[in-house]
Amino acid sequence: MARMFAPLTAVPDHPALERVVLARWDAERTFERLRELNAGGPRFSFVDGPITANNAMGVHHAWGRTLKDVFQRFQALRGHELRYQNGFDCQGLWVEVEVEKSLGLNSKREIEEYGLAEFAARCRERVAKYAEVITEQSRRLGMWMDWDNDYYTFADTNIEYIWRFLKEVHRRGWLFLGHRSTQWCPRCGTSLSQHEQAGEGNYEELDHPSLHVRFPLKERKGEALVVWTTTPWTLPANVAAAVKPDAEYGLSNGGWRLAESGGEYERIARGDELVGLEYSGPFDELTPQQGIAHRLIPWDDVVLDEGTGIVHIAPGAGTDDFELSRVHDLPVLVPIDESGRFYPEYDPFAGLSTDEAEEPVIAALRERGLLVEAGRVTHRYPICWRCRTPLVFRVVDDWFIGVDGIRGALLDENAKVEWTPPQYRKRMDDWLRNMGDWNISRKRYFGLPLPFYQCACGNLNVVGSRAELERRAVRGLEQLQELHRPWIDEVPISCESCGVEVQRIPDVGDAWLDAGIVPLSTLGWENPTWVEHGYATGAAEGLTGADLPDDTYWQQWFPADWISEMREQIRLWFYSQFFMSMTLVGRSPYRRVLTYEKLLDETGREMHRSWGNSIDADEAFDRMGADVMRWLFCEVPPAQNLKFGYGPAREVQRRLLTLWNSVSFLVTYGNIEDFRPVYADLTGGPPEGQPLDAWLVSRTHQLVADTTAAYERYWTPAVTAAFDAFVEDLSNWYIRRSRRRFYGDDEAAFRTLWYALVQSLRVVAPLMPFLADELWRNLVAGACERAPDSVHLAGWPEVHEPDTTLLTEIAEVRELVELGRQVRAEEGVKLRQPLRRASIHGSEAARSHLDEIREELRVKEVELLDAAPLRFRYKPNLRVLGPRLGRDLSAVRAALEVGEFEELGEGRIRAAGHELGPDELIVERAKERGWAHSDRFSVGLDLDLDPELEREGRVLDLIHALNALRKDRGLELTDRIAVTVPASQSDLLPEHADWIKQETLAVRIEADGGSLEIEKV
Ligand SMILES: [Zn+2]
Ligand SMILES: [Zn+2]
């Protein structure tokens, strides 16, 4: 007869199994059929945060993508219709810097020489290439998305929606050109914004010079200020020095500096007494320094715990310095150009980078006798989030969106968003409260072209759509292949105020505008008619088939029911889309957010390619398999960092093996006994059997209820924990307790076990889609007519109220059994060795499960004790008893030591003729041999072995050895054997031969002088 179930291998080969399942999903259109099944169902709106299509996926990306997939799969199993649109982030510094690297370009000048049109083409090619790579990897991870209809943020459609947002921002008066000091990357040649740079990873410990420099005072001959700086390159731009007004300064060796207590000074003065003094700057001969009067200014924020307490101020090269220039009306000298090199007028430093200028500046100071002290300092210094170059400060013109007009509304709206874990709402609040104006302009090439046309008449023209651009264009439309540089720069417009021709500003936009508009642009907000492939515009043409839906669709799918990204997106994507949606439609684009922490290596260090501890996603797919990766991602509470690696993966594989072995058990004996599962059991439940069957059904109900609740609150660690505990109960209680019933055709046992295993596969399917589907295929699809061919098409099991009384009882019994095993482990008594008696105290449930407890503990009888078996040991409290008993103390102490005392109740005892109270005694719980205790229960085992018990123990050892031999020889479970035992064991046979035969399927047993042997008969 054909076997009902396919036999399982000894251990699952996850990667191989997953490739088989992937091929099957493709061949059988499983995902497409799921979408067809759910079409028209209640909507579950998920909006994907775009992944940067710029490099292959890292394992940390796989974490986020797993969570997205898990909850989409869960919602689909619950019958929801979903959109499944994946997004790619496509423009901005990310892709530019990588393309520069691959082309060997190292400055903006080289990009311009290379040609902007060519550069844009290379950027698009890179995006296309890595979008494909990421798609392939995501499929491998098991992610189900509508891969032919991705959104690409560099689509003209997306850009137009951002233009529309910017026009609205301008209409509200929030848009302005700021003249500000900003963090500047000299390699990228652009300023960077607060929200991009705020991450902890954007700092490094760097080594810089630490200089004490004399600034000679003009009106006081022989006296000078001693200032401190760690950026020598800023000295040529010095215009002032600052002291803390209420600090004390002292003069010694002709130099003023912060007075230290106990220091000897010729004079002492408060900072505010020195304010206003003029000094000679260190580089007064430089052309830009002509006519500048250097003076001492007050500043409350001067740091006093390092340096000299006097800081040099260069408003063109530092943020605080720039702010001070506004307060004190100081001139602003900007010494370096956008590539971080000195302007020509700063000769002799002209053309040097800030690093290269270090030595010449120090040499010049030394030559002029201005250098007091030159050392080094290691400090935390900002680096470019994109290319890791140390940043400098420049004063430049950047475009900003003022945030004060909307800050309050954002905070109010955030109160309505449900954050998981909940503490992250406060993080968002903190960001919203403290965020500065949004710097949206970057002086770069392949990015969102800011639609700003600044006219000489003073009017700022902001174009809000391509149609408006076409209407107002003076020329150049014929060559406008997409809304990117260089083409867009060839389309001047006429000023709406004075009619004169105006050029676009050259700046491009912050990449977070690109991703932030997505909840509006991809869903068709205010779009009057549905446009097929209407999203595949500009650079995205040919890469996707995505439609541009209409406003009705937007109303159905906005806001997202749920989104999920890592925690740093609070200041990035969660923020930018929140800001943009609130501006345009007045409400949050998402209802719920799941956010999670960082991925580290298995020892808890950050992963870095250069440290050799990073793991490529492809390597992880091949070596541990996607299901195991997904399990690791889901197991960690999202507020904790995740330790990822092959060690933790092996631990997961070990636990999954318990499930695998349980299925294998059912498959093996099901085939032997020709078990036929009944699909309707999954809805109606298996037939009533023994009490243990009822327990497993109830235990399964509990698993379904617990995991359903966990998925509903977006908490995967509760799913993995519930599943682990369930499989443990199923394997180490139900199967072990019922094993014998499967050696015959006990229909109820088979159907109950099948029911429990299959329901558990269904609830774990979102998390572990491959293994669950493969096992479903074997246990259900291949065995039941009319069953869905995939677990992912089977819907969600009905949630039943579990019988908690029954579950509590068995949980209690299992706890007792654990305590009994603990005693055996402590006393070195094998589980196989039968014992005479177990004594139990504290458990009511034990009364109705005496047989199970007896079998599990392998004892002949179980006795239930009314009184606690605890015994106490008493020691005299010497401080109290010493004075009272005097020389009698030693007799009392001796009696207590050997346990000669009488308990009188309420903690009182009598020993050596004295009655002692609780305050005179130190009480310890005695650790008795043969007992183990939990909070509620006590279990004791009688450990004495009589000859009968000893012999039974040897029989069980023999049975164990014989079954091990059967396995070694590769015998089928049904094969019969002939057994030869050594003569030394022959004394067991007269009494126990039948028992041995029964347990080993032996037909004959003989004893001779040789070793233990079996032979198939
Ligand atoms: Zn950079
Ligand atoms: Zn004008």
Side-chain angles (χ1 to χ4, degrees):
M1 185 188 311
R3 280 188 298 216
M4 176 90 333
F5 308 108
L8 267 54
T9 50
V11 291
D13 178 346
H14 288 281
L17 174 156
E18 289 164 6
R19 282 189 291 271
V20 169
V21 173
L22 278 173
R24 194 158 61 218
W25 286 346
D26 270 352
E28 298 181 355
R29 298 179 57 253
T30 312
F31 173 52
E32 290 74 12
R33 282 158 57 215
L34 173 66
R35 297 193 68 182
E36 288 156 19
L37 197 65
N38 288 340
R43 282 178 287 271
F44 178 78
S45 180
F46 165 74
V47 171
D48 186 36
I51 184 169
T52 314
N54 188 33
N55 273 311
M57 221 166 95
V59 283
H60 61 288
H61 292 118
W63 183 2
R65 292 171 94 68
T66 292
L67 293 176
K68 292 173 182 182
D69 190 58
V70 165
F71 291 104
Q72 292 204 100
R73 281 179 183 271
F74 169 70
Q75 295 296 347
L77 284 168
R78 302 282 274 172
H80 286 99
E81 181 177 349
L82 282 87
R83 297 180 59 246
Y84 296 107
Q85 188 175 37
N86 171 75
F88 288 116
D89 215 0
C90 309
Q91 53 188 14
L93 264 188
W94 280 298
V95 57
E96 285 197 48
V97 169
E98 292 301 322
V99 169
E100 279 180 78
K101 272 194 226 162
S102 69
L103 293 174
L105 306 177
N106 232 327
S107 68
K108 287 166 71 172
R109 189 178 47 78
E110 287 174 12
I111 297 174
E112 282 171 21
E113 282 166 11
Y114 181 79
L116 293 195
E118 283 297 302
F119 188 70
R122 297 297 88 75
C123 288
R124 183 185 180 278
E125 280 164 19
R126 186 176 181 91
V127 167
K129 174 180 165 186
Y130 283 104
E132 215 167 286
V133 170
I134 290 169
T135 300
E136 208 36 56
Q137 293 180 306
S138 304
R139 285 175 190 269
R140 179 64 190 82
L141 179 66
M143 193 181 196
W144 271 355
M145 281 293 201
D146 185 3
W147 296 114
D148 297 327
N149 290 310
D150 310 302
Y151 72 79
Y152 286 73
T153 59
F154 62 18
D156 279 0
T157 308
N158 210 61
I159 290 171
E160 280 193 78
Y161 267 99
I162 303 167
W163 282 7
R164 189 158 166 193
F165 162 76
L166 293 171
K167 195 173 174 86
E168 173 62 19
V169 162
H170 180 45
R171 193 190 65 75
R172 295 190 185 200
W174 297 348
L175 187 67
F176 67 93
L177 183 64
H179 182 69
R180 295 191 178 186
S181 172
T182 157
Q183 299 192 89
W184 184 276
C185 175
R187 201 219 65 87
C188 295
T190 184
S191 46
L192 302 165
S193 74
Q194 180 198 5
H195 73 135
E196 282 174 312
Q197 280 298 133
E200 298 142 30
N202 299 327
Y203 286 85
E204 255 174 29
E205 291 290 321
L206 293 180
D207 179 62
H208 282 137
S210 168
L211 307 181
H212 291 187
V213 181
R214 288 168 64 87
F215 286 179
L217 289 171
K218 283 197 164 161
E219 298 105 57
R220 300 189 182 181
K221 284 277 173 271
E223 292 181 21
L225 306 169
V226 180
V227 302
W228 176 59
T229 182
T230 58
T231 49
W233 68 268
T234 60
L235 287 171
N238 172 271
V239 300
V243 286
K244 190 168 164 62
D246 56 0
E248 291 218 316
Y249 292 84
L251 177 69
S252 71
N253 294 327
W256 285 96
R257 60 177 76 214
L258 191 69
E260 289 168 22
S261 61
E264 290 192 10
Y265 299 100
E266 296 153 36
R267 280 213 310 283
I268 294 278
R270 269 171 58 102
D272 47 15
E273 296 172 62
L274 301 174
V275 162
L277 290 176
E278 292 200 355
Y279 65 87
S280 306
F283 294 100
D284 281 350
E285 75 286 3
L286 297 177
T287 313
Q289 287 280 358
Q290 299 314 305
I292 290 179
H294 300 80
R295 62 189 162 90
L296 202 55
I297 59 168
W299 186 28
D300 286 326
D301 294 336
V302 171
V303 279
L304 300 181
D305 50 5
E306 53 183 351
T308 62
I310 308 179
V311 294
H312 110 85
I313 302 296
T319 302
D320 292 333
D321 309 48
F322 183 74
E323 291 309 314
L324 288 169
S325 79
R326 297 194 153 176
V327 178
H328 297 284
D329 196 20
L330 304 173
V332 178
L333 303 183
V334 178
I336 53 171
D337 65 14
E338 62 172 35
S339 64
R341 293 181 178 276
F342 277 87
Y343 284 115
E345 58 268 33
Y346 285 81
D347 192 52
F349 307 116
L352 298 182
S353 74
T354 55
D355 280 350
E356 289 163 358
E358 245 171 46
E359 275 316 308
V361 165
I362 294 173
L365 294 172
R366 190 172 280 128
E367 197 178 294
R368 294 162 198 207
L370 298 178
L371 194 62
V372 181
E373 208 179 301
R376 308 288 299 178
V377 63
T378 303
H379 54 175
R380 199 163 158 270
Y381 194 85
I383 54 170
C384 173
W385 68 273
R386 186 56 258 175
C387 74
R388 322 299 289 168
T389 302
L391 301 182
V392 293
F393 284 91
R394 293 188 72 223
V395 174
V396 285
D397 289 344
D398 274 318
W399 291 90
F400 289 87
I401 299 174
V403 299
D404 287 330
I406 199 170
R407 193 191 304 275
L410 295 179
L411 280 161
D412 289 347
E413 186 75 359
N414 187 39
K416 300 177 201 159
V417 175
E418 208 175 289
W419 287 83
T420 311
Q423 63 266 36
Y424 288 86
R425 169 184 291 120
K426 190 178 168 302
R427 295 263 195 142
M428 181 62 146
D429 273 349
D430 289 346
W431 167 256
L432 294 174
R433 253 185 223 110
N434 299 315
M435 66 186 178
D437 294 333
W438 184 356
N439 179 341
I440 57 165
S441 59
R442 303 288 179 274
K443 301 186 179 344
R444 295 291 307 187
Y445 308 103
F446 191 68
L448 162 85
L450 291 176
F452 304 158
Y453 297 75
Q454 180 80 66
C455 181
C457 78
N459 182 48
L460 172 64
N461 299 271
V462 176
V463 170
S465 68
R466 189 184 177 111
E468 184 185 344
L469 178 72
E470 287 174 2
R471 206 167 54 242
R472 295 174 58 185
V474 175
R475 63 175 170 277
L477 287 174
E478 72 296 339
Q479 55 82 54
L480 185 62
Q481 61 179 69
E482 63 190 60
L483 298 180
H484 278 117
R485 300 184 72 186
W487 307 285
I488 185 81
D489 296 338
E490 303 301 317
V491 187
I493 63 167
S494 56
C495 174
E496 64 200 333
S497 172
C498 71
V500 155
E501 176 180 323
V502 205
Q503 281 291 336
R504 193 186 74 84
I505 62 157
D507 300 23
V508 297
D510 177 5
W512 295 102
L513 291 166
D514 303 334
I517 200 68
V518 158
L520 300 161
S521 62
T522 61
L523 300 178
W525 172 63
E526 289 200 347
N527 181 43
T529 47
W530 192 292
V531 187
E532 257 185 60
H533 310 310
Y535 195 88
T537 49
E541 213 180 318
L543 294 178
T544 172
D547 293 346
L548 175 61
D550 58 18
D551 193 64
T552 314
Y553 184 84
W554 179 80
Q555 287 176 27
Q556 288 170 345
W557 291 96
F558 182 97
D561 290 305
W562 180 72
I563 60 171
S564 176
E565 302 292 335
M566 67 191 304
R567 187 248 296 164
E568 70 173 1
Q569 298 296 338
I570 285 175
R571 62 185 165 83
L572 300 170
W573 189 57
F574 296 152
Y575 165 63
S576 67
Q577 60 167 320
F578 196 54
F579 192 109
M580 294 171 92
S581 287
M582 283 295 287
T583 302
L584 291 177
V585 302
R587 61 182 295 192
S588 166
Y590 43 81
R591 292 196 171 97
R592 287 186 213 86
V593 185
L594 168 65
T595 187
Y596 50 92
E597 285 295 325
K598 269 203 289 204
L599 184 139
L600 307 172
D601 77 5
E602 61 184 72
T603 67
R605 288 197 315 159
E606 287 197 26
M607 280 193 187
H608 287 290
R609 210 163 285 278
S610 56
W611 295 355
N613 65 343
S614 75
I615 298 177
D616 286 341
D618 287 341
E619 182 196 303
F621 293 141
D622 287 348
R623 285 186 55 190
M624 60 177 84
D627 276 337
V628 173
M629 292 168 72
R630 294 170 68 111
W631 192 274
L632 285 171
F633 296 139
C634 289
E635 200 174 33
V636 66
Q640 284 175 22
N641 290 332
L642 165 66
K643 291 182 185 172
F644 185 89
Y646 294 105
R650 274 189 296 277
E651 172 57 23
V652 171
Q653 280 160 343
R654 193 185 60 71
R655 275 181 283 148
L656 292 181
L657 195 56
T658 310
L659 168 71
W660 182 264
N661 287 339
S662 304
V663 174
S664 188
F665 176 84
L666 177 67
V667 162
T668 305
Y669 291 98
N671 281 337
I672 292 171
E673 301 297 338
D674 195 25
F675 162 55
R676 307 267 145 178
V678 179
Y679 188 64
D681 283 359
L682 294 183
T683 38
E688 211 168 300
Q690 300 188 5
L692 198 55
D693 298 336
W695 170 77
L696 184 59
V697 169
S698 207
R699 187 66 186 80
T700 308
H701 291 165
Q702 184 186 32
L703 171 74
V704 173
D706 288 354
T707 51
T708 305
Y711 285 117
E712 274 171 352
R713 61 189 180 98
Y714 299 93
W715 199 254
T716 51
V719 178
T720 55
F723 187 79
D724 271 344
F726 174 79
V727 172
E728 213 281 325
D729 275 350
L730 177 136
S731 163
N732 285 326
W733 191 253
Y734 182 80
I735 293 185
R736 214 164 42 70
R737 300 272 324 127
S738 317
R739 198 170 278 276
R740 260 158 222 291
R741 297 169 62 198
F742 294 89
Y743 303 161
D745 56 355
D746 187 329
E747 173 89 2
F750 275 107
R751 280 169 72 174
T752 303
L753 179 57
W754 181 85
Y755 168 83
L757 280 171
V758 172
Q759 298 296 58
S760 79
L761 294 177
R762 295 173 74 186
V763 297
V764 83
L767 216 144
M768 211 167 46
F770 297 101
L771 188 64
D773 209 19
E774 179 66 8
L775 295 177
W776 170 277
R777 190 82 171 186
N778 197 357
L779 293 183
V780 187
C784 307
E785 272 179 46
R786 283 194 301 277
D789 53 57
S790 165
V791 70
H792 304 292
L793 300 175
W796 195 252
E798 199 182 325
V799 180
H800 297 278
E801 204 47 49
D803 178 344
T804 46
T805 317
L806 186 54
L807 293 175
T808 318
E809 269 186 32
I810 297 295
E812 207 168 304
V813 168
R814 294 208 64 188
E815 190 175 335
L816 297 172
V817 169
E818 261 326 299
L819 288 172
R821 295 204 175 137
Q822 204 177 307
V823 172
R824 282 177 180 267
E826 279 165 11
E827 301 296 336
V829 180
K830 273 189 296 198
L831 290 175
R832 271 203 296 282
Q833 175 61 56
L835 296 174
R836 191 56 61 194
R837 181 184 310 104
S839 308
I840 288 174
H841 172 261
S843 166
E844 259 316 298
R847 216 168 285 283
S848 34
H849 296 274
L850 290 176
D851 288 349
E852 282 152 287
I853 296 170
R854 202 178 59 235
E855 283 178 37
E856 285 296 314
L857 291 179
R858 220 186 268 282
V859 294
K860 300 287 178 190
E861 57 176 80
V862 175
E863 63 171 356
L864 302 177
L865 304 181
D866 290 335
L870 294 185
R871 279 226 307 251
F872 296 100
R873 185 158 50 198
Y874 299 94
K875 286 181 178 171
N877 184 342
L878 298 179
R879 264 189 317 135
V880 184
L881 276 183
R884 175 155 95 83
L885 297 180
R887 64 181 50 173
D888 278 5
L889 178 64
S890 58
V892 167
R893 188 204 293 220
L896 291 177
E897 211 150 279
V898 297
E900 280 174 11
F901 58 85
E902 187 187 344
E903 290 185 328
L904 304 172
E906 292 175 353
R908 304 185 67 78
I909 62 167
R910 182 179 296 120
H914 290 276
E915 205 179 306
L916 308 170
D919 55 333
E920 294 169 323
L921 295 163
I922 295 164
V923 186
E924 286 174 351
R925 193 155 140 170
K927 174 66 193 122
E928 279 175 278
R929 184 164 176 262
W931 281 91
H933 312 277
S934 69
D935 293 346
R936 306 184 289 172
F937 313 129
S938 299
V939 174
L941 295 180
D942 177 353
L943 298 163
D944 292 333
L945 294 185
D946 54 38
E948 185 196 351
L949 292 172
E950 220 161 330
R951 265 201 311 282
E952 284 183 19
R954 285 170 54 210
V955 170
L956 287 163
D957 282 346
L958 188 59
I959 291 171
H960 180 75
L962 286 168
N963 283 329
L965 266 179
R966 289 184 61 107
K967 223 177 220 172
D968 284 355
R969 301 284 156 84
L971 296 188
E972 295 288 322
L973 289 166
T974 47
D975 288 340
R976 308 274 147 173
I977 54 171
V979 172
T980 311
V981 302
S984 59
Q985 307 276 41
S986 61
D987 63 312
L988 301 176
L989 293 185
E991 191 183 350
H992 296 302
D994 285 348
W995 182 13
I996 298 169
K997 282 181 183 169
Q998 190 191 333
E999 295 294 326
T1000 61
L1001 291 192
V1003 291
R1004 272 198 313 278
I1005 304 184
E1006 282 162 14
D1008 75 0
S1011 56
L1012 189 66
E1013 273 306 331
I1014 65 170
E1015 195 184 327
K1016 186 178 160 186
V1017 295

